Amino acid sequence: MRTCTVERGYCMLKKIFLCVLCVFVLTNLSSSYIVEASNSSIINMGDISGDMTNFELIDITDVHNIKYMYERDGITFIVQESANDDFSEILTQIYKIDGEMSMLVEEFTTLINRNGDAMILEQFKDGNAIESREINLSSGSLENLVSPLSSSYNGYIYYDGTTGKYYTSWYYAYSHSGNTVVMQTTVTVIATILAGICSYTGDVVTGSLLLIAATIFDAGVDDIYYDQDIYHVHQITYPEKMYYGTPGGIRYDTDIYLDSNRNYFGGNYVDDWHDPDEWPTAITIN
């Protein structure tokens, strides 16, 4: 198990972003490493007990196939992760680097199943289940819940000349604060958990989420904490300016923290969703 301080994770934030800027150089540099020795045997990662150091992102150009590296006990490891289209299955392969050769030292698969506000993580190695965990994506508290539907709207109005409909701008609806467990997971798995928290649909992993996930992984924390503001867009009647139907747009604006006191910032992510039946794509709403 990695035991790294939150302070180190915070200090590494700038380093991670610089690594992404160098992604193509690092990718070419590391390509010679991944030469799996056909006659080598898989060794036990449990024998490597030191703290993780010198974490670097190598390549996140394709969010479904990422690569990163770190050191433990003076040994360099490169991790390759491959996810299917909806990130419900993630293959993780860990290679020990020895000069220009590599040895596969660990390989496992993580299956992720989203069931309402719960996310089920199951980890398999050699075809056998080795861990199962349920994560509650709606834990925490709701604050400042706004219910404007009984009143009229008094903000900026957007008009769709094609349909003759009127819309609000983004307005604050409520806040959500919570935390979740991320210990003993990988960068891609953490990014998938973040997608469940930070987006309305909960199933879109992006490069930005992978950057935040890398910060969390490097910090070595067991839990992450978040504060989230939710905004809505509504169709309204005119000239009465009364809210009509359900929200046509939902925005999640989420701050991620590495500690319960919210002293160590992990990143911010903004996700916009809109219902094409309620809010035509031809209108840009700010």
Side-chain angles (χ1 to χ4, degrees):
M1 180 181 295
R2 293 177 292 109
T3 55
C4 305
T5 62
V6 170
E7 288 86 353
R8 184 173 61 77
Y10 179 68
C11 292
M12 289 294 291
L13 181 59
K14 289 185 178 180
K15 178 182 175 184
I16 290 174
F17 281 97
L18 289 174
C19 291
V20 174
L21 293 177
C22 300
V23 61
F24 296 106
V25 176
L26 286 169
T27 302
N28 292 333
L29 178 64
S30 65
S31 60
S32 62
Y33 285 147
I34 304 302
V35 182
E36 183 180 347
S38 58
N39 296 324
S40 64
S41 60
I42 295 179
I43 65 176
N44 186 4
M45 279 292 286
D47 296 335
I48 312 297
S49 59
D51 293 348
M52 185 183 72
T53 59
N54 297 325
F55 171 84
E56 291 184 3
L57 278 176
I58 296 175
D59 188 8
I60 59 170
T61 306
D62 177 2
V63 296
H64 292 89
N65 296 280
I66 73 167
K67 190 184 300 182
Y68 51 96
M69 65 190 300
Y70 57 83
E71 293 182 7
R72 287 177 67 184
D73 284 353
I75 302 172
T76 299
F77 297 92
I78 285 184
V79 182
Q80 292 189 149
E81 295 199 275
S82 300
N84 62 353
D85 290 343
D86 63 358
F87 288 85
S88 62
E89 182 173 340
I90 299 165
L91 173 65
T92 301
Q93 296 173 308
I94 304 175
Y95 295 85
K96 175 186 173 182
I97 304 305
D98 183 8
E100 293 187 356
M101 297 297 292
S102 67
M103 178 184 292
L104 180 65
V105 294
E106 189 164 14
E107 179 177 292
F108 56 88
T109 300
T110 305
L111 301 182
I112 301 177
N113 179 35
R114 177 78 181 268
N115 184 14
D117 289 330
M119 181 176 283
I120 311 298
L121 276 61
E122 295 180 290
Q123 197 174 93
F124 292 84
K125 186 175 181 179
D126 298 326
N128 300 314
I130 58 177
E131 184 180 1
S132 180
R133 181 188 307 170
E134 180 174 336
I135 296 175
N136 186 352
L137 300 175
S138 63
S139 63
S141 60
L142 299 178
E143 301 174 358
N144 305 321
L145 187 63
V146 176
S147 180
L149 302 186
S150 61
S151 60
S152 61
Y153 174 71
N154 58 8
Y156 188 86
I157 296 175
Y158 289 83
Y159 176 68
D160 180 359
T162 302
T163 63
K165 295 179 179 179
Y166 295 84
Y167 298 89
T168 69
S169 60
W170 289 104
Y171 66 86
Y172 172 81
Y174 62 94
S175 295
H176 180 210
S177 296
N179 65 285
T180 192
V181 177
V182 295
M183 67 182 222
Q184 295 182 319
T185 54
T186 67
V187 171
T188 302
V189 173
I190 294 173
T192 307
I193 295 171
L194 290 175
I197 294 171
C198 298
S199 65
Y200 177 72
T201 57
D203 59 358
V204 180
V205 174
T206 65
S208 296
L209 285 179
L210 284 167
L211 284 175
I212 299 174
T215 302
I216 295 167
F217 180 84
D218 183 42
V221 296
D222 292 340
D223 301 85
I224 57 169
Y225 302 81
Y226 57 91
D227 294 331
Q228 188 174 70
D229 290 334
I230 291 85
Y231 300 83
H232 288 170
V233 164
H234 241 100
Q235 183 183 339
I236 56 173
T237 62
Y238 193 83
E240 298 84 5
K241 302 181 183 178
M242 300 299 294
Y243 296 88
Y244 177 80
T246 58
I250 299 175
R251 169 179 290 173
Y252 282 19
D253 187 343
T254 310
D255 288 333
I256 305 293
Y257 297 91
L258 307 179
D259 67 312
S260 59
N261 293 324
R262 273 69 170 174
N263 291 326
Y264 299 98
F265 185 63
N268 170 264
Y269 190 75
V270 178
D271 176 78
D272 289 349
W273 169 88
H274 74 86
D275 182 346
D277 293 330
E278 296 291 336
W279 169 12
T281 55
I283 299 179
T284 300
I285 295 180
N286 299 315

